[in-house]
Amino acid sequence: MRLLAAFLDLSGQPAVVAGGGPVALRRTRTLLEAGLQVTVVAPQIHAEFSTLPVTVVHRHCKPDDLRGARVVVAATNDPAVNERLCEAAQKQGALVNHAGDAARGTLRFPAVVSRGGLQVAVSTGRELPVLAQALGDRITTLLPDEPTLDQWSRQREEALREAEPARELALQALREDIRTTLGVPA
């Protein structure tokens, strides 16, 4: 299966997480970090949800609860419920993550590494999240520090203000500096 790799700006958009356990908690944190407005629906809720800026509904999730959501996470402990919720979410055009069977949804959560505005996401395209996490950890060791990222950003901005051919020469110097710093052959 080929997946579309994309970074989406869904800040402020509504999301529903069905389930109140540890997996639902992890997915909720990811959605909150991306700025989504999250409603969690489950009869039992992990205690840590009380520390998060979410709306909590204490009952089993129903397809009507998904109305208007741009993102839905089906993370209950009942595979049949997760399946019904995924179908309902897809019918309304929402992005849906089936926490128990990624292939049943339209949205997968990759391992993400962030530093200074730089984000790298890793998905194995398989059911190997441990591999994606290990690759993310390895990538972290390769990322430049924030002052270096800031310097490169300034260099790019300065280069773009130049007229040709100075612009192209400055951008080429920046490319070479980045590749050398990262140990990538020119």
Side-chain angles (χ1 to χ4, degrees):
M1 174 187 307
R2 297 189 56 87
L3 301 173
L4 172 66
F7 288 91
L8 304 173
D9 180 0
L10 296 172
S11 183
Q13 297 295 312
V16 174
V17 175
V23 173
L25 182 62
R26 281 196 313 274
R27 298 288 195 262
T28 298
R29 285 188 173 127
T30 299
L31 295 171
L32 290 171
E33 287 172 11
L36 282 89
Q37 302 297 312
V38 180
T39 299
V40 178
V41 184
Q44 296 177 334
I45 303 289
H46 191 288
E48 288 185 45
F49 277 106
S50 67
T51 66
L52 301 176
V54 298
T55 300
V56 174
V57 178
H58 291 275
R59 63 172 166 70
H60 291 284
C61 190
K62 301 178 284 193
D64 284 349
D65 294 323
L66 311 180
R67 189 170 291 128
R70 293 289 307 272
V71 175
V72 173
V73 175
T76 75
N77 58 7
D78 185 334
V81 170
N82 288 343
E83 188 65 31
R84 283 194 304 276
L85 294 174
C86 284
E87 288 174 11
Q90 288 178 21
K91 281 181 184 173
Q92 74 176 33
L95 297 170
V96 60
N97 173 257
H98 188 303
D101 185 356
R104 294 233 184 269
T106 59
L107 174 67
R108 295 180 187 199
F109 288 89
V112 177
V113 177
S114 298
R115 182 175 296 153
L118 175 68
Q119 281 189 312
V120 179
V122 179
S123 175
T124 63
R126 301 169 179 249
E127 299 304 319
L128 294 170
V130 175
L131 173 59
Q133 292 165 353
L135 288 169
D137 291 344
R138 176 67 175 118
I139 289 167
T140 299
T141 67
L142 302 173
L143 294 180
D145 58 24
E146 286 196 51
T148 301
L149 290 170
D150 291 342
Q151 174 192 336
W152 288 340
S153 292
R154 282 191 303 277
Q155 280 180 262
R156 180 180 179 277
E157 289 169 15
E158 291 169 6
L160 293 176
R161 287 193 289 268
E162 297 286 335
E164 291 296 344
R167 173 187 300 180
E168 188 53 38
L169 290 173
L171 290 172
Q172 183 59 35
L174 176 59
R175 281 185 205 98
E176 290 172 10
D177 184 27
I178 290 172
R179 294 181 75 82
T180 299
T181 301
L182 296 179
V184 177

